């Protein structure tokens, strides 16, 4: 076991112990999850709280821990269930990081890479790893699904993807992403064996060098490689079939209380995602070759480098302004619950002036371009755009602005950036540490009378 992983585990266990000592009663969503888990622990599998909207994967995991490791179903032990998945997060992130780096993972599972440990401190994941929430177990199973797919173990990936859907229904999208990213990397790096004829190629240049015509060329080359990648899709198609059966049986994707989770077209969610990603991931953006000046020069060249580019940029901004006007949603939960940071972001920024949401549109575009250029300098065109496309499928139907929804797509985007200098990784780790100390400190030690404890 590496020293860094021992330190990581020690910090997590210490924080969990402190949280259990201070927050002795279920908090926020825990009053729904904890009684449901305890009912399952008693064998009452027909019991279900209609206010719970996610499948019972979290509760089943707690029952398995109870039967295998003799865990009690008390609040501290239930929180330990999710904390253990937080301890597993660096292990699965290491495997995924090595996949994108095209290197062999460490021989021991207990020696995760430095970048995997830093990413495991990502504030949203780290915070909810100490509460009895579905977020971190869901994340671990999603990453494990992509790892299995990247290693060519597609039936295992299908099984893990199916299990991930028992924590959150939207993970079916990330199961498809696992297939897509594994096949794009397979086609990119495969080579013919000795004496064999040249293999069919998918046109897929580096994203930062690609032009619009390259998308057309990719479509033209796709039929040539379909016979090579379709057989691997069978396990994922099975997952889609099971998920479709669930939707038909349930009468929709959402379990329980559907009234507050009606799917809508929420286009600005994608804009919020890139702003969120930049707020948390700026150390990685500025650590690219040439730093901030080169990044800004590239963004300027892409947006205003010629009259044609300036015209396209103007058209994109106009479309974004239009979607902000038509599709901005003031969700009742966002407006009413002042125990979440998003409440204050919304009231003090977006509701500060009626022009505020529109004034942020150019910043959204710059943030999105910054991430495209940073990821696109290391990944292919199709690899770079696959994640935003599938992120749209996850975020667009969700009416509520919720940082937890951004956690998985952010980490999947961030981990594709493999060329981060040591100082950039240190800066990223320090930034995460500052956020974690502030948010966990406020949650534990600064509750407000009449309001409660503040959290993401």
């Amino acid at each position: 076991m590496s020293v860094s992983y021992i330190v990581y585990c020690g910090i997590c266990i210490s924080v969990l112990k402190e949280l259990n000592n201070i927050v002795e009663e279920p908090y926020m969503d825990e009053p729904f999850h904890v009684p449901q888990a305890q009912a399952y622990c008693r064998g009452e599998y027909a019991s279900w709280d209609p206010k719970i909207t996610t499948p019972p994967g979290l509760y089943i995991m707690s029952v398995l821990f109870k039967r295998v490791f003799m865990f009690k179903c008390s609040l501290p032990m239930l929180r330990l269930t999710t904390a253990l998945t937080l301890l597993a997060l660096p292990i699965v992130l290491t495997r995924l990081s090595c996949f994108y780096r095209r290197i062999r993972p460490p021989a021991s599972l207990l020696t995760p890479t430095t970048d995997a440990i830093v990413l495991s401190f990502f504030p949203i994941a780290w915070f909810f790893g100490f509460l009895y929430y579905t977020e971190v177990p869901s994340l671990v199973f999603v990453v494990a699904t992509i790892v299995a797919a990247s290693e060519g173990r597609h039936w295992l990936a299908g099984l893990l993807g199916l299990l991930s859907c028992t924590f959150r229904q939207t993970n079916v999208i990330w199961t498809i992403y696992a297939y897509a990213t594994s096949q794009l990397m397979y086609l990119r790096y495969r080579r013919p064996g000795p004496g064999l004829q040249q293999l069919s190629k998918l046109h897929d240049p580096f994203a930062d060098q690609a032009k619009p015509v390259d998308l057309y060329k990719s479509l033209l080359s796709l039929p040539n490689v379909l016979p090579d990648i379709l057989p691997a899709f069978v396990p994922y198609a099975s997952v889609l079939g099971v998920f479709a059966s669930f939707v038909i049986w349930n009468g929709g994707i959402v379990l329980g209380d559907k009234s507050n989770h009606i799917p809508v077209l929420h286009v600005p969610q994608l804009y919020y995602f890139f702003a969120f990603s930049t707020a948390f991931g700026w150390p990685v953006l500025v650590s690219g070759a040439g730093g901030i000046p080169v990044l800004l020069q590239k963004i300027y060249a892409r947006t205003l480098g010629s009259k044609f580019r300036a015209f396209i940029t103007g058209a994109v901004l106009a479309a974004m302004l239009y979607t902000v006007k038509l599709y901005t949603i003031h969700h009742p939960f966002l407006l009413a619950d002042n125990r979440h940071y998003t409440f204050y972001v919304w009231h003090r920024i977006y509701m500060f002036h009626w022009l505020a949401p529109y004034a942020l549109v150019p910043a959204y575009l710059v943030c999105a371009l910054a991430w495209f250029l940073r990821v696109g300098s290391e990944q292919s065109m199709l690899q770079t755009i696959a994640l935003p496309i599938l992120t749209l499928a996850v975020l667009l139907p969700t009416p509520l602005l919720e940082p937890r929804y951004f956690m998985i797509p952010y980490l999947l985007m961030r981990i594709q950036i493999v060329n981060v200098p040591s100082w950039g990784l240190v800066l990223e780790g320090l930034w995460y540490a500052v956020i974690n100390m502030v948010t966990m400190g406020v949650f534990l030690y600064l509750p407000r009378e009449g309001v409660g404890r503040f959290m993401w």
Side-chain angles (χ1 to χ4, degrees), residues 221-256:
S221 64
L222 182 59
N224 297 328
V225 298
L226 277 179
D228 299 328
I229 63 174
L230 278 180
F233 185 66
V234 174
Y236 307 94
S238 302
V239 175
L240 288 177
V242 172
F243 186 78
S245 301
F246 159 76
V247 172
I248 294 171
W249 168 80
N250 184 56
I253 294 176
V254 178
L255 281 168

Side-chain angles (χ1 to χ4, degrees), residues 147-359:
V147 168
S150 70
E151 295 174 350
R153 296 185 290 174
H154 295 293
W155 282 105
L156 176 61
L159 175 61
L160 290 170
L162 190 61
L163 290 174
S164 76
C165 294
T166 67
F167 293 92
R168 281 197 171 273
Q169 299 94 314
T170 50
N171 287 345
V172 69
I173 301 297
W174 303 124
T175 303
I176 300 305
Y177 175 75
Y179 166 76
T181 190
S182 69
Q183 296 309 291
L184 287 172
M185 294 291 275
Y186 163 70
L187 292 172
R188 181 177 171 186
Y189 289 105
R190 67 174 180 166
R191 297 290 183 270
L196 297 179
Q197 63 181 6
Q198 189 69 26
L199 297 171
S200 299
K201 288 284 187 179
L202 177 66
H203 182 77
D204 193 15
F206 276 98
D208 63 342
Q209 301 171 7
K211 299 177 180 179
V213 71
D214 287 306
L215 279 173
Y216 176 69
K217 292 180 179 179
S218 295
L219 288 174
L220 290 181
S221 64
L222 182 59
N224 297 328
V225 298
L226 277 179
D228 299 328
I229 63 174
L230 278 180
F233 185 66
V234 174
Y236 307 94
S238 302
V239 175
L240 288 177
V242 172
F243 186 78
S245 301
F246 159 76
V247 172
I248 294 171
W249 168 80
N250 184 56
I253 294 176
V254 178
L255 281 168
D257 182 15
K258 297 180 175 63
S259 60
N260 289 307
H261 297 83
I262 299 172
V264 294
L265 188 60
H266 194 183
V267 179
Q269 280 279 46
L270 190 65
Y271 312 153
Y272 307 150
F273 167 69
F274 282 114
F276 165 94
S277 299
T278 305
F280 283 94
W282 64 265
V284 179
L285 293 177
V286 304
S287 67
I292 298 176
V294 171
L295 179 62
L296 292 177
Q297 287 173 9
K298 289 181 177 179
I299 292 173
Y300 178 83
R302 292 266 177 167
T303 55
L304 302 171
S306 67
K307 290 182 179 180
F308 178 73
R309 288 182 182 273
F311 172 77
I312 295 298
T313 300
V316 170
L317 288 173
M320 293 175 68
L321 289 166
Y322 184 73
T323 56
V324 167
K325 177 178 175 59
L326 260 62
Y327 300 110
T328 296
I329 297 175
H330 300 270
H331 197 281
F333 288 177
L334 183 62
L335 297 174
D337 197 339
N338 61 352
R339 296 169 295 176
H340 293 287
Y341 293 115
T342 48
F343 172 90
Y344 300 95
V345 170
W346 196 260
H347 281 76
R348 295 180 182 178
I349 297 178
Y350 289 93
M351 296 181 69
F352 173 75
H353 191 277
W354 71 269
L355 285 175
Y358 303 100

Side-chain angles (χ1 to χ4, degrees), residues 303-421:
T303 55
L304 302 171
S306 67
K307 290 182 179 180
F308 178 73
R309 288 182 182 273
F311 172 77
I312 295 298
T313 300
V316 170
L317 288 173
M320 293 175 68
L321 289 166
Y322 184 73
T323 56
V324 167
K325 177 178 175 59
L326 260 62
Y327 300 110
T328 296
I329 297 175
H330 300 270
H331 197 281
F333 288 177
L334 183 62
L335 297 174
D337 197 339
N338 61 352
R339 296 169 295 176
H340 293 287
Y341 293 115
T342 48
F343 172 90
Y344 300 95
V345 170
W346 196 260
H347 281 76
R348 295 180 182 178
I349 297 178
Y350 289 93
M351 296 181 69
F352 173 75
H353 191 277
W354 71 269
L355 285 175
Y358 303 100
L360 291 169
V361 165
Y364 297 147
L365 181 60
V366 170
C367 291
L369 274 173
W371 280 102
F372 174 81
L373 292 169
R374 190 67 176 93
V375 176
S377 65
E378 303 183 25
Q379 301 298 336
S380 71
M381 174 186 66
L382 296 179
Q383 181 74 35
T384 302
I385 65 175
L387 183 63
I389 290 173
L390 291 173
T391 299
L392 276 173
V394 173
L395 295 181
L396 249 61
T398 56
L400 179 62
L401 172 59
E402 171 60 74
R404 290 179 290 165
Y405 299 161
F406 302 149
M407 179 183 66
I408 290 178
Y410 172 82
L411 286 172
L412 295 182
M413 179 171 65
R414 162 59 186 89
I415 206 165
Q416 293 184 64
I417 302 173
V418 297
N419 294 321
V420 181

